[in-house]
């Protein structure tokens, strides 16, 4: 690799200084940093790191995710392969690792801790203690992924505690996931050795966990957005805050990544060095990422930006290799396998019909824009020919989950917040077990989009009652192995079609994918029925 010399305003985060200088890079390593009298009016800083993301939620395989992310100065991600593990088990995790190695990008993968996430849904695989221990022994696995089973931690569940112990035994961090956990329960959860949480949605909750020694990840993804609530904490806790996206659909990844959060934080008047600690340094230190921090002798993982307000990325370097320049990726696509698991029959309209239990009120899921949590509502049942149907004027729509791993009765409930006035949308990206989830105004259109996904073995689909459009996701029903920019363009067309049908949510497909996420309160739907996330029990559709 030839010698590279970068000149500009060097941002030394540990020293809290900015000065004109030049950086010499040889064989991927920074070999010298020299001050200059003057240098170009551009800023050189360490690359951005997403401290918690499910690559699968971008609908792109790791190599394609990297192609889009480097344009925004991202050089590494702390990546939980939990989604593909729920579909394909260990084979899926290994696919992510091997595909990620095909491109110049630093994917820091974890060992999924909760596969399946709960016993109240059907997943495609199980990772037991032995599986997790074997993964943690691999050098390509850096941490134990988010421990979503916080009740298991609080009740000292043997399997849960054994997985945490396995991570401690090899000195690897344990990620947390404990939305709303407070007081003695939060203290007990943290004392078990769990070091992070990306699920805080109030300032008070995050502050309490910070005071107990936890690292708080400020999340701004396509569905869950907690930046505004939590960003003031960065002023007082700059060493214990990181930025993450958690879940980011391809259209929003086209627009920006962690660089956007840095710009928003600086615009709020937060000291730029505190911001860059959260965006570039803290994740590298906590997860022991082999990522350079703009120091002599470090890997040359750095970005050149126009200024320290907009953070428009001019160049991105990973291990000294120029991987993006002026908004263009320089990483080539690579061929990919398509591991998957899909085994269900086509569905009929009758599969989406449910008999009314008299006139008892409906228990309704209320979807909240920008949040993973939902509310529990009750609404008057609308009945046609003895069956419960959508109440379109009041935005009470039918929602269903179809088991994709084997034939089983369809689980049906009702949801408020999507706003559709015609048609239906469906997806096999449905956290955490990734069965088929569908929301619609009528049973015919629901059957139409579900069968479109069964035909292509996974993807996202929308129909307005006349025209159906589908984006196939052949890798586990979660990701496409096609060009990431083409996938993003097709997804944008589906999103626009959905909004033309009345959808009011900013990211309707992403929000739909979380309506089956049982570990987040309050009311959700699994393939086995309507589920109360507050009590961790099934509940009735009416009454």
């Amino acid at each position: 690799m030839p010698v590279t010399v970068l000149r500009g305003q060097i941002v030394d985060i540990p020293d809290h200084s900015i000065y004109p200088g030049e950086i010499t890079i040889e064989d991927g390593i920074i070999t010298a940093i020299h001050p200059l009298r003057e240098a170009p009016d551009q800023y050189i800083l360490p690359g951005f790191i997403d401290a918690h993301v499910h690559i699968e939620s971008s609908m792109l395989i790791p190599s394609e995710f990297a192609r889009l992310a480097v344009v925004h100065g991202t050089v590494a991600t702390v990546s939980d392969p939990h989604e593909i593990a729920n579909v394909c088990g260990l084979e899926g995790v290994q696919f992510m690792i091997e595909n990620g190695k095909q491109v110049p990008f630093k994917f820091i993968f974890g060992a999924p801790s909760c596969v399946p996430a709960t016993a109240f849904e059907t997943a495609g695989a199980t990772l037991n203690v032995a599986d997790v221990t074997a993964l943690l022994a691999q050098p390509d696995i850096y941490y134990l992924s988010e421990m979503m089973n916080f009740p298991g931690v609080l009740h000292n569940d043997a399997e849960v505690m054994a997985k945490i112990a396995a991570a401690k035994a090899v000195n690897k961090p344990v990620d947390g996931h404990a939305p709303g956990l407070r007081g003695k329960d939060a203290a007990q959860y943290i004392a078990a050795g769990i070091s992070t949480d990306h699920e805080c949605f109030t300032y008070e909750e995050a502050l309490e966990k910070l005071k107990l020694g936890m690292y708080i990840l400020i999340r701004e993804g396509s569905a869950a957005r907690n930046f505004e609530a939590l960003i003031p904490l960065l002023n007082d806790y700059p060493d214990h805050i990181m930025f993450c996206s958690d879940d980011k659909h391809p259209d929003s990844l086209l627009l920006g990544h962690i660089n956007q959060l840095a710009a928003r934080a600086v615009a709020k008047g937060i000291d730029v060095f505190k911001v860059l600690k959260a965006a570039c340094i803290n994740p590298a230190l906590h997860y022991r990422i082999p990522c350079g921090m703009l120091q002599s002798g470090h890997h040359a993982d750095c970005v050149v930006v126009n200024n320290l307000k907009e953070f428009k990325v001019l160049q991105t370097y990973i291990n000294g290799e120029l991987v993006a320049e002026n908004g263009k990726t320089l990483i080539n696509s690579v061929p990919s396998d398509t591991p998957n698991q899909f085994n269900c029959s086509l569905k009929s309209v009758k599969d989406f019909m449910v008999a009314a239990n008299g006139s008892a009120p409906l228990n309704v899921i209320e979807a909240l824009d920008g949040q993973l949590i939902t509310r529990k509502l009750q609404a008057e049942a609308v009945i046609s020919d003895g069956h419960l149907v959508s109440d379109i004027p009041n935005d009470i729509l039918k929602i269903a989950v179809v088991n994709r791993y084997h034939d089983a009765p369809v689980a049906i409930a009702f949801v408020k917040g999507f706003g559709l006035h015609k048609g239906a949308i469906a997806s096999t990206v449905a956290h955490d077990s990734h069965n088929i989830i569908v929301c619609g105004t009528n049973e015919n259109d629901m059957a139409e989009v579900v069968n479109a996904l069964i035909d292509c073995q996974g993807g996202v689909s929308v129909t307005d009652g006349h025209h159906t459009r589908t984006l196939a996701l052949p890798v586990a029903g979660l990701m496409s192995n096609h060009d990431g920019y083409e996938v993003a363009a097709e997804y944008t067309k589906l999103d626009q079609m959905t909004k033309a049908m009345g959808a009011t949510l900013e990211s309707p497909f992403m929000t739909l994918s979380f309506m089956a996420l049982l570990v987040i309160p309050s009311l959700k739907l699994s393939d086995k029925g309507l589920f109360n996330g507050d009590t961790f029990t099934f509940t009735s559709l009416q009454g």
Side-chain angles (χ1 to χ4, degrees):
M1 187 179 292
V3 174
T4 300
V5 177
L6 301 180
R7 293 185 179 89
Q9 308 302 311
I10 296 173
V11 182
D12 188 329
I13 300 171
D15 194 47
H16 285 214
S17 64
I18 302 170
Y19 59 89
E22 69 175 19
I23 297 174
T24 303
I25 302 169
E26 299 181 57
D27 296 323
I29 302 295
I30 295 175
T31 56
I33 301 177
H34 294 300
L36 298 174
R37 282 189 173 182
E38 58 182 35
D41 189 23
Q42 58 186 20
Y43 293 78
I44 308 171
L45 55 140
F48 297 112
I49 301 172
D50 189 331
H52 176 78
V53 64
H54 302 279
I55 299 295
E56 303 97 313
S57 291
S58 71
M59 301 183 182
L60 307 175
I61 56 177
S63 55
E64 287 298 324
F65 179 97
R67 294 182 67 235
L68 274 63
V70 294
V71 171
H72 310 300
T74 305
V75 299
T77 57
V78 181
S79 310
D80 179 2
H82 169 89
E83 314 305 343
I84 196 170
N86 268 281
V87 178
C88 300
L90 291 173
E91 177 191 1
V93 177
Q94 289 302 138
F95 167 82
M96 300 294 280
I97 292 170
E98 295 307 317
N99 180 258
K101 288 180 178 180
Q102 304 305 307
V103 291
F105 192 86
K106 300 192 174 181
F107 289 104
I108 306 304
F109 286 109
S113 66
C114 300
V115 177
T118 75
F120 305 102
E121 58 198 310
T122 303
T126 298
L127 296 187
N128 59 28
V129 174
D131 295 326
V132 169
T133 301
L135 281 172
L136 286 164
Q138 294 187 31
D140 294 317
I141 295 292
Y142 285 77
Y143 66 104
L144 182 66
S145 297
E146 54 183 311
M147 179 48 72
M148 295 184 292
N149 188 358
F150 62 81
V153 176
L154 300 181
H155 294 97
N156 288 303
D157 177 87
E159 181 168 353
V160 167
M161 302 312 290
K163 289 176 180 177
I164 294 172
K168 290 180 178 179
V170 290
N171 196 30
K172 293 182 177 181
V174 180
D175 264 8
H177 170 118
L181 203 65
R182 304 287 297 273
K184 292 181 179 178
D185 287 345
Q188 181 183 339
Y189 183 74
I190 296 166
I194 297 167
S195 58
T196 71
D197 197 359
H198 60 276
E199 293 288 352
C200 295
F201 48 88
T202 68
Y203 176 93
E204 293 76 17
E205 177 191 353
L207 179 61
E208 183 177 333
K209 289 174 178 175
L210 280 166
K211 289 180 177 179
L212 289 168
M214 209 173 220
Y215 288 83
I216 295 299
L217 279 58
I218 296 179
R219 172 177 60 188
E220 196 78 355
S222 294
R225 297 183 291 275
N226 309 120
F227 179 91
E228 292 297 331
L230 304 184
I231 193 61
L233 293 163
L234 184 53
N235 281 310
D236 296 325
Y237 295 89
D239 295 330
H240 280 76
I241 299 288
M242 308 179 211
F243 292 142
C244 77
S245 64
D246 196 6
D247 296 285
K248 201 163 181 69
H249 267 182
D251 56 338
S252 58
L253 184 58
L254 279 182
L255 301 177
H257 198 189
I258 302 302
N259 61 322
Q260 291 179 318
L261 302 189
R264 286 174 62 184
V266 169
K268 288 186 174 294
I270 298 175
D271 178 79
V272 69
F273 294 107
K274 292 180 179 180
V275 172
L276 294 178
K277 261 194 168 186
C280 312
I281 302 298
N282 293 343
L285 294 175
H286 181 67
Y287 294 99
R288 305 181 187 96
I289 301 174
C291 206
M293 290 181 276
L294 210 66
Q295 303 290 317
S296 185
H298 285 206
H299 292 285
D301 304 314
C302 52
V303 297
V304 182
V305 300
N306 64 333
N307 57 50
L308 299 181
K309 292 182 179 179
E310 299 172 305
F311 294 96
K312 178 183 177 182
V313 176
L314 308 178
Q315 292 180 319
T316 304
Y317 292 85
I318 298 179
N319 287 343
E321 179 180 348
L322 181 63
V323 293
E325 187 168 30
N326 296 324
K328 302 292 184 182
T329 187
L330 301 179
I331 299 176
N332 294 322
S333 294
V334 298
S336 162
D337 296 331
T338 56
N340 205 345
Q341 188 171 182
F342 222 104
N343 187 31
C344 68
S345 305
L346 294 174
K347 301 304 173 187
S348 70
V349 172
K350 288 184 178 179
D351 288 317
F352 298 95
M353 299 174 70
V354 58
N357 179 19
S359 59
L362 294 173
N363 291 314
V364 177
I365 303 166
E366 184 183 16
L368 304 175
D369 204 3
Q371 298 293 341
L372 305 190
I373 59 171
T374 61
R375 293 196 188 108
K376 296 176 289 185
L377 301 178
Q378 283 204 321
E380 182 179 346
V382 177
I383 302 169
S384 176
D385 293 328
H387 294 91
L388 298 171
V389 296
S390 294
D391 179 2
I392 299 172
N394 291 308
D395 189 27
I396 307 294
L397 305 181
K398 187 170 282 187
I399 187 170
V401 174
V402 179
N403 186 319
R404 67 129 122 175
Y405 301 106
H406 58 78
D407 285 326
V410 174
I412 296 171
F414 288 84
V415 66
K416 182 179 179 65
F418 279 83
L420 297 176
H421 51 71
K422 61 180 176 178
I425 63 174
S427 175
T428 53
V429 180
H431 305 281
D432 278 312
S433 294
H434 302 293
N435 290 294
I436 307 170
I437 190 164
V438 56
C439 173
T441 58
N442 65 85
E443 294 80 10
N444 286 284
D445 290 340
M446 292 172 76
E448 166 72 17
V449 286
V450 166
N451 288 334
L453 297 184
I454 293 173
D455 279 337
C456 68
Q457 302 284 278
V460 290
S461 186
V462 56
T463 185
D464 61 8
H466 301 285
H467 304 287
T468 301
R469 191 170 198 124
T470 302
L471 169 61
L473 301 174
V475 181
L478 301 174
M479 296 170 281
S480 172
N481 58 349
H482 293 165
D483 178 275
Y485 288 93
E486 295 176 3
V487 174
E490 180 60 26
Y491 175 79
T492 297
K493 292 176 183 177
L494 268 74
D495 183 71
Q496 290 171 343
M497 183 174 173
T498 301
K499 288 171 179 172
M501 291 156 48
T504 53
L505 297 164
E506 183 171 335
S507 188
F509 281 106
M510 183 69 86
T511 299
L512 180 66
S513 75
F514 288 112
M515 293 302 100
L517 183 56
L518 308 188
V519 296
I520 300 286
S522 288
L523 203 60
K524 297 292 173 72
L525 180 67
S526 88
D527 66 292
K528 297 181 179 182
L530 191 60
F531 188 79
N532 186 323
D534 296 318
T535 61
F536 250 60
T537 57
F538 287 107
T539 190
S540 61
L541 179 57
Q542 288 180 272

